[in-house]
């Protein structure tokens, strides 16, 4: 093979030799080294990704006598045959797929034979796949309590972070591991894997051991043998997260008759029961905590009571402070805290038997989940503790006496001896309830004319507590409570003696009522009081209703106001009670609009209806509300009827618009005069400065034009009075007109006041065309009957004055047609 190979024999080689008459030496393998692909397969390794069918090695050897050699390979019966071999040429071929993670080494036996001698050797085949070093990473980066070295994979607590056993006993961390990558079957591959690390936080040793199931009672049977176990005391390290081991020992009281296992806490008797000198033994057992370093740490002790008893012939028995007892009573307040122990019940349960015969269970019968008993399993004897489980059910207002049974039943005896004890609990009341109103709010209604001290509404609140705690006192407060009082114990809300409720002033009140017990516990309810409107107001006409002007084709409107607060008391209907002439006017009963009937569409028709050319008619109108009982008001309305075609001038239109409001006309005229004064001053000032600059005083020529004197207003007033007295005589309010509400707004009781006199004209008034003064208007007044008679008599006594007025009237009307307004 190119060099003289050295013979190689494994320590496990087997040489089979035959010794004929002439010596024949055994064949042997060449040792070509670990890096060679032929020889004796010494230190042979193979990559796990080698394809099946690949030629992986060639066995090579020789025989000293030069005989032909053959090769072989075999495997253990429990192993798979990974390779096949050509026996003549020694070529080894891979016939099974390799998996290093499943099997990282293969044991095979190779052999060489010359036909006479055969040499076999064991070969350790190691399959190894080349890979780069791995790196580790933390995936759940939101966890900032830990950090990991990516190269070494060391997990550490982050700087500044602390672990708290009480807050979190376990932490879960996901770790990702990735290799450096390499080629697998010709491809570059990077493999990774994840795993979850569970970190359990250990508790710190800072709590002494705790005995479990105290107090301890044990019994020695009369037939017990020395070495019999009596009972086991159990203590645990108070640090439950990482408890230390505890050791038990007797402090005193054993009298060398008992022994305790220092590791298990099992107490056993070491002498015959007949040698025990006392009936009851009080053993003081101490438990010591042993630290990890073996040093005794915290210690605690308890008392174990051991009785010497006979065979099982007694049922469980309940004892009180004074001995045998089968009924226990307790008085307590309602609603104790959940988990509270009923310390007033001093109950001991005992089974005088020994061993398994003295084991029994405790349970409550009829308690309804309100209480629970501890312990639930007893060996020999135990103090019974009853604990509150449901505080809400212990309610004095629902039940004043609780009764249930305490049952003890043996567990492992065929007799199943049992006994019961009655538990009776008397409840005492506490102020645990707040007064509660029958409703969260109360709605009341009261008429506005109710006298002071009238009842409004009765509120009611209940406090189920007993005695003084159940007494309720009422009070009211709030911005709307000034007019009301409340009876402190009856809860009746009534008005103040001086209160006068008026729906037109305030129709709704809102305040709070308070129900309070003797300790100040209270609740609130809201009270809404509505003052009901009563029809106590009559409709009232507008002050300017007595007289108006109607242009043909245009209605006039009257308006009355009812000051009641609500409908229908303040809804007004209008009607015409009487008119002169009759059957000429219609009125809209809802809006109060008065218009002429359709056939009256010109002054000629009006003149044909009346006996003369007088166009002032009187109408008795009524305003009536819809209340019950109903109130009404009547008024006399004088209507001047005009034809709009006779008054087309702008001044006439203005005076018609301001007829019912003379102060408006006076204001407009005053404004015009003020503008004229300003213009005059401006012109005079300009002329003054012009003359001053020219140093020449020029004479001013002024043409003074005498203005015609306006007609006397006194004559106009007399003419108007004449017309009014004439119309009033045609229509007079009779005394027998009905007034169904008997109010004092009717004309038959007190005549309405006459309208005030016209205001005096301003001194610097400009000249107004006589046309403006020919508008037939009448100053508004509800003229009493006797006043009209006086005016009529005065008009009849002055025929000369009447003739003068008629003549002046004709002149004014003629000038109104010929002249324009003069300013």
């Amino acid at each position: 093979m190119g060099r003289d190979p050295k013979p190689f024999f494994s320590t496990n080689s087997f040489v089979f030799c035959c010794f004929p008459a002439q010596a024949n030496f055994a064949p042997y393998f060449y040792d070509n080294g670990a890096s060679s692909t032929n020889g004796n397969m010494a230190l042979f390794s193979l990559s796990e990704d080698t394809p099946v069918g690949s030629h992986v090695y060639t066995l090579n050897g020789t025989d000293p006598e030069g005989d032909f050699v053959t090769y072989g390979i075999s495997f253990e019966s429990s192993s798979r045959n990974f390779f096949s071999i050509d026996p003549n040429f020694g070529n080894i071929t891979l016939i099974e797929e390799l998996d290093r993670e499943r099997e990282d080494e293969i044991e095979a036996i190779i052999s060489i034979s010359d036909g006479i001698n055969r040499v076999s050797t064991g070969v350790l085949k190691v399959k190894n796949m080349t890979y780069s070093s791995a790196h580790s990473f933390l995936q759940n980066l939101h966890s900032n309590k830990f950090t990991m070295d990516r190269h070494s994979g060391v997990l550490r607590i982050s700087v500044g972070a602390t672990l708290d056993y009480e807050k979190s006993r376990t932490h879960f961390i996901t770790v990702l591991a990735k290799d450096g990558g390499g080629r697998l079957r010709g491809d570059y591959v990077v493999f990774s894997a994840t795993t979850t690390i569970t970190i359990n936080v250990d508790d710190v040793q800072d709590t002494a051991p705790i005995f479990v199931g105290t107090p301890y009672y044990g019994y020695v049977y009369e037939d017990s043998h020395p070495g019999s176990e009596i009972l086991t005391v159990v203590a645990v390290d108070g640090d439950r997260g990482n408890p230390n081991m505890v050791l038990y020992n007797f402090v005193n009281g054993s009298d060398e008759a008992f022994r305790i296992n220092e590791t298990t806490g099992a107490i056993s008797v070491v002498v015959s029961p007949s040698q025990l000198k006392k009936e009851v033994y009080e053993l003081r057992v101490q438990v010591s905590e042993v630290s990890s370093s073996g040093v005794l740490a915290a210690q605690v002790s308890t008392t174990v009571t051991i009785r010497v008893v006979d065979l099982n012939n007694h049922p469980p028995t309940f004892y009180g402070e004074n001995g045998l007892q089968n009924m226990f009573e307790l008085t307590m307040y309602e609603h104790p805290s959940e988990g509270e122990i009923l310390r007033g019940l001093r109950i001991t349960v005992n089974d005088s038997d020994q061993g398994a015969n003295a084991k029994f269970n405790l349970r409550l019968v009829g308690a309804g989940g309100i209480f629970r008993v501890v312990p639930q399993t007893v060996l020999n004897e135990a103090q019974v503790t009853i604990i509150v489980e449901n505080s809400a059910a212990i309610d004095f207002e629902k039940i004043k006496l609780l009764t249930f049974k305490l049952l003890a039943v043996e567990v492992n005896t065929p007799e199943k001896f049992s006994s019961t004890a009655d538990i009776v609990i008397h409840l005492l009341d506490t102020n645990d309830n707040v007064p509660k109103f029958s409703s969260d709010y109360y709605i009341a209604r009261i008429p506005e004319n109710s006298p002071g001290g009238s009842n409004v509404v009765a509120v009611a609140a209940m406090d189920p507590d007993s005695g003084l705690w159940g007494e309720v006192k009422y009070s009211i407060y709030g911005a709307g409570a000034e007019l009301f009082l409340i009876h402190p114990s009856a809860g009746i809300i009534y008005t103040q003696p001086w209160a006068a409720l008026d729906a037109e002033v305030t129709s709704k009140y809102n305040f709070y009522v308070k129900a309070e017990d003797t300790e100040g516990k209270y609740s609130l309810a809201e009270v809404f009081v509505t003052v009901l409107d009563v029809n106590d107001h009559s409709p009232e006409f507008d002050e300017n209703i007595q007289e108006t002007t109607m242009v043909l084709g245009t209605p006039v409107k009257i308006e009355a106001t009812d000051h009641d607060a609500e409908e229908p008391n303040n809804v007004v209907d209008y009607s015409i009670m009487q008119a002169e002439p009759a059957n000429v006017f219609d009125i809209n009963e809802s809006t109060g609009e008065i218009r002429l009937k359709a056939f009256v569409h010109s002054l000629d028709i009006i003149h044909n209806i009346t006996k003369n050319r007088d166009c002032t008619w009187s109408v008795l109108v009524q305003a009536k509300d819809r209340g019950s009982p109903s109130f009404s008001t009547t008024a006399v309305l004088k209507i001047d009827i005009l034809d709009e075609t006779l008054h087309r001038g702008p001044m006439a239109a203005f005076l018609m618009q301001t007829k019912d409001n003379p102060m408006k006309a006076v204001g407009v005229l005053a404004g015009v005069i003020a503008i004229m004064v300003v213009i005059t001053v401006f012109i005079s000032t300009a002329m003054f400065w012009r003359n001053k600059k020219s140093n020449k005083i020029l004479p001013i020529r002024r043409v003074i034009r005498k203005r015609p004197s306006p007609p006397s207003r006194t004559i106009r007033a007399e003419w108007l009075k004449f017309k009014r007295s004439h119309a009033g005589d045609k229509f007079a309010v009779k005394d027998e007109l009905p007034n169904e509400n008997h109010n004092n707004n009717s004309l038959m009781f007190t005549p309405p006041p006459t309208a005030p006199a016209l205001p005096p004209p301003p001194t610097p008034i400009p000249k107004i065309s006589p046309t403006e003064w020919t508008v037939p208007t009448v100053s508004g007044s509800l003229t009493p009957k006797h006043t009209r008679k006086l005016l009529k008599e005065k008009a009849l006594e002055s025929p000369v004055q009447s003739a003068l007025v008629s003549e002046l009237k004709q002149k004014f009307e003629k000038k109104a047609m010929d002249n324009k307004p003069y300013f």
Side-chain angles (χ1 to χ4, degrees), residues 392-393 395-400:
D395 193 342
F396 177 84
E397 286 72 30
K398 295 179 181 178
I399 185 170
K400 297 176 175 55

Side-chain angles (χ1 to χ4, degrees), residues 136-138 146-150 153-156 175-176 197:
S136 301
F137 307 90
L138 292 181
F146 301 94
T147 181
M148 174 173 281
D149 189 293
R150 60 181 298 176
V154 177
L155 182 66
R156 297 183 177 89
V175 178
L176 171 67
I197 300 176

Side-chain angles (χ1 to χ4, degrees), residues 727-783:
D729 290 335
K730 292 181 180 180
F731 184 83
V733 180
K734 298 179 181 181
D735 294 338
E736 59 268 15
L737 288 175
N739 186 355
E740 59 185 59
N741 294 313
H742 303 287
N743 58 31
N744 57 358
N745 293 330
S746 175
L747 294 174
M748 68 181 185
F749 290 101
T750 303
T754 58
L758 291 173
T763 303
I765 185 169
K767 183 177 179 180
I768 300 177
S769 172
T771 305
E772 307 303 324
W773 294 97
T774 61
V775 180
T777 59
V778 180
S779 59
S781 65
L782 287 177
T783 307

Side-chain angles (χ1 to χ4, degrees), residues 446 448-456 476-487 492-501 509 511 529:
I446 182 172
E448 63 178 342
N449 58 358
S450 301
S454 298
N455 290 345
V456 178
I476 58 175
Y477 68 94
E482 294 83 359
L483 299 181
F484 302 92
L485 297 172
I486 188 170
H487 193 282
I492 299 175
I493 299 175
Y494 56 95
T495 59
Q496 295 272 12
W498 46 265
L501 301 178
Y509 296 89
F511 53 88
V529 179

Side-chain angles (χ1 to χ4, degrees), residues 326-342:
N326 60 5
M327 187 179 75
F328 299 87
E329 291 188 83
L330 174 67
T331 300
M332 60 180 290
Y333 285 102
E334 62 175 336
H335 300 306
S337 302
E338 293 186 358
E340 181 177 330
I341 298 174
L342 304 186

Side-chain angles (χ1 to χ4, degrees), residues 467-634:
L468 295 177
W469 290 328
E471 296 181 1
V472 178
K473 182 177 66 175
Y474 300 95
S475 60
I476 58 175
Y477 68 94
E482 294 83 359
L483 299 181
F484 302 92
L485 297 172
I486 188 170
H487 193 282
S489 59
I492 299 175
I493 299 175
Y494 56 95
T495 59
Q496 295 272 12
W498 46 265
L501 301 178
D502 190 345
E504 288 75 38
V505 177
T506 303
S507 62
K508 295 186 183 296
Y509 296 89
N510 173 224
F511 53 88
Y512 292 92
V513 59
K514 178 181 180 181
E516 184 177 13
D517 64 15
T518 54
E519 286 191 350
K521 293 184 177 181
Y522 68 91
S523 63
L524 299 176
E526 199 165 3
V527 179
F528 299 90
V529 179
T530 300
V531 180
L532 300 177
D533 185 38
V534 176
N535 193 22
D536 55 353
H537 289 83
S538 300
E540 297 179 2
F541 280 107
D542 189 9
E543 294 179 356
N544 298 325
I545 191 177
Q546 291 103 357
E547 185 171 333
T548 185
T549 300
M550 176 185 290
V551 178
L552 284 175
T554 303
V556 296
K557 184 177 181 180
I558 61 174
E559 187 173 0
T561 303
D562 192 314
H563 293 289
D564 286 315
E566 299 176 357
E567 296 181 358
N569 296 335
N570 59 3
V571 178
V572 178
D573 293 330
Y574 302 93
S575 62
I576 296 176
M577 303 297 294
Q578 189 175 351
E580 180 64 30
N583 200 26
V584 175
F585 296 100
D586 286 331
I587 187 168
N588 188 310
E589 68 174 3
S590 299
T591 63
E593 287 188 350
I594 300 175
R595 63 177 64 244
L596 291 170
K597 290 185 177 294
F599 69 89
V600 183
H601 51 76
S602 66
L603 289 178
D604 293 337
I605 298 175
I606 295 174
H607 294 158
N608 291 334
I609 295 174
T610 58
K611 296 178 182 181
N612 50 40
R613 297 180 61 85
D614 188 3
C615 296
T616 302
W617 293 343
S618 298
V619 180
L620 178 63
V621 293
Q622 174 182 271
K624 182 179 181 181
D625 62 28
R626 297 183 184 178
S628 179
S630 177
F631 288 95
S632 63
T633 301
T634 57

Side-chain angles (χ1 to χ4, degrees), residues 684 687-688 690-691 697-703:
S684 301
M687 293 179 65
F688 171 77
R690 186 188 66 178
N691 294 336
I697 301 175
L698 299 178
I700 300 176
R701 298 179 61 189
R702 301 179 64 184
V703 179

